[in-house]
Amino acid sequence: MLLVGTSTAVSATTAGYPVLTGQALRYALAAVILLAVVHHRRLPRVRLTARDVLLLVALAATGLAGFNLCLVEATRHAGPAMIGAVVGGVPVVLALVGPLLERRRPAARTVTAAVVVALGTAVAAGLGSGSLTGLLLSLGALAGEVAFSLLAVPLLPRLGPLRVAAYPAALAAPLLLVAGLALDGPAALRLPTLGEAAAFVYLGAVVTAAAFFLWYDALGRLGPDRAGLFAGLVPVGALLTTVALGLGHVGPADVAGALLVAAGLRQSPRAPKAPRGPARQKPVGPEDIRPCQSTTKPATNARNTSANTMRATAAPVPMRALFGAMNRSGRSGS
């Protein structure tokens, strides 16, 4: 999320380039990098189901292309302060909706932390003003940001974070290019300057390829409600990058917002620790003890048959479990 926050200041250096075309270049580069990593790691092939394809297309259309379209159009009807305050509500939405999709009750502590983080984001961005159209477009960007996480949750167990980051990026690139041509016409195909190209390389390799993979990896480990709290770090990353590039200064609202975000993250519940030591084995019962194949001559009486079976089975079964199974068999009349 800190890396995503840096995109605000870096994108400011590409203000003269067609916005949607630049986003298409960014996602295309990220898709190439991520797919190359998937190929290099030789991950096992996964056959996409119709449900997987539908979710991936929806993720690319809403969480990537739709989010950028709403964000670009919102800047024409509202100031960045109001847009940042609305989109900063992502932690609250994920804290409420994420657990409900998993059929569990939202944790009160997580919801409280999400509200504090969203408040800090709004303070850091500043509560600006705008038109009703700008507000609706900002809400559309908020919905796209939420879909970016929630639509990925059912895909992560089967595809893993690398593929979930790569496939939507590959799908979003042509969508954004078509949208750019529709809005800007032939001017959308202008070649970037050297400085713009460097910015797009950073946005594609770091802010998209690396940050998307890290986000989806964390999403599978923490869940959308707890991971969503860290979306509050986006304005912090934007603030730090803005100062580092000399594009602005730090004000009291920026510091207060960052402190509120940190306070909200400290209130989030910790993940449960995994139990240490070997997992407890299932007790061995009489049904688990079966005679092994043997090349010896068949026993001539029932006693020898029982002895041969015991010797063949005793090797892979621990003695304590074996005697426990024998005792249970005796008590049950077997």
Side-chain angles (χ1 to χ4, degrees), residues 44 62 65 118 124 170 199 274:
T62 59

Side-chain angles (χ1 to χ4, degrees), residues 25 43 69 74 87 169 171-172 187 191 194 205 233 237 252 266 270 331:
L25 292 175
L43 299 178
L69 279 172
V87 179
L171 292 170
L191 289 176
L194 186 60
L233 291 174
R266 285 183 58 85
R270 297 180 180 179
R331 288 193 298 269

Side-chain angles (χ1 to χ4, degrees), residues 123-140:
V123 172
L127 298 175
S129 60
S131 64
L132 178 61
T133 303
L135 176 61
L136 293 177
L137 288 169
S138 299
L139 291 173

Side-chain angles (χ1 to χ4, degrees), residues 25 39 144 161 183 220 249:
L25 292 175
H39 177 73
L183 290 177
H249 64 279

Side-chain angles (χ1 to χ4, degrees), residues 193-228:
T193 64
L194 186 60
E196 292 169 341
F200 289 137
V201 168
Y202 174 81
L203 292 172
V206 179
V207 177
T208 306
F212 281 17
F213 165 72
L214 292 174
W215 174 251
Y216 284 139
D217 189 43
L219 195 65
R221 299 171 185 266
L222 302 178
D225 49 345
R226 296 184 65 246

Side-chain angles (χ1 to χ4, degrees), residues 42-46 163:
R42 297 181 180 179
L43 299 178
R45 292 184 178 181
V46 178
R163 287 191 176 98

Side-chain angles (χ1 to χ4, degrees), residues 86-108:
V86 173
V87 179
V90 169
V92 177
V93 178
L94 290 179
L96 294 174
V97 179
L100 295 178
L101 293 179
E102 298 175 356
R103 297 181 179 180
R104 57 186 176 88
R105 182 180 300 177

Side-chain angles (χ1 to χ4, degrees), residues 26-314:
R26 161 193 173 183
Y27 288 129
L29 176 60
V32 170
I33 295 173
L34 290 167
L35 291 174
V37 174
V38 171
H39 177 73
H40 177 73
R41 295 189 61 182
R42 297 181 180 179
L43 299 178
R45 292 184 178 181
V46 178
R47 179 175 296 179
L48 296 178
T49 64
R51 177 174 176 268
D52 294 336
V53 174
L54 182 62
L55 286 172
L56 288 170
V57 172
L59 176 55
T62 59
L64 300 184
F67 170 79
N68 282 279
L69 279 172
C70 289
L71 199 62
V72 169
E73 288 299 311
T75 58
R76 301 179 180 181
H77 302 277
M82 191 194 77
I83 299 173
V86 173
V87 179
V90 169
V92 177
V93 178
L94 290 179
L96 294 174
V97 179
L100 295 178
L101 293 179
E102 298 175 356
R103 297 181 179 180
R104 57 186 176 88
R105 182 180 300 177
R109 188 174 180 181
T110 305
V111 174
T112 302
V115 172
V116 175
V117 170
L119 179 61
T121 304
V123 172
L127 298 175
S129 60
S131 64
L132 178 61
T133 303
L135 176 61
L136 293 177
L137 288 169
S138 299
L139 291 173
L142 171 63
E145 187 71 11
V146 172
F148 176 75
S149 296
L150 295 184
L151 290 176
V153 171
L155 292 168
L156 288 171
R158 270 179 43 81
L159 303 183
L162 271 175
R163 287 191 176 98
V164 174
Y167 294 166
L171 292 170
L175 293 176
L176 287 166
L177 182 59
V178 171
L181 288 171
L183 290 177
D184 300 322
L189 300 179
R190 177 176 72 82
L191 289 176
T193 64
L194 186 60
E196 292 169 341
F200 289 137
V201 168
Y202 174 81
L203 292 172
V206 179
V207 177
T208 306
F212 281 17
F213 165 72
L214 292 174
W215 174 251
Y216 284 139
D217 189 43
L219 195 65
R221 299 171 185 266
L222 302 178
D225 49 345
R226 296 184 65 246
L229 297 173
F230 292 90
L233 291 174
V234 170
V236 179
L239 175 65
L240 295 176
T241 313
T242 300
V243 174
L245 296 179
L247 300 177
H249 64 279
V250 179
D254 300 319
V255 177
L259 292 177
L260 279 173
V261 168
L265 294 176
R266 285 183 58 85
Q267 291 298 318
S268 62
R270 297 180 180 179
K273 293 183 178 180
R276 296 184 179 181
R280 296 182 61 183
Q281 295 182 353
K282 175 185 175 182
V284 180
E287 68 278 2
D288 298 318
I289 303 177
R290 294 181 175 87
C292 298
Q293 297 291 336
S294 176
T295 56
T296 58
K297 293 175 65 176
T300 57
N301 54 52
R303 180 174 298 178
N304 289 338
T305 300
S306 177
N308 288 338
T309 301
M310 288 289 297
R311 283 194 297 271
T313 311

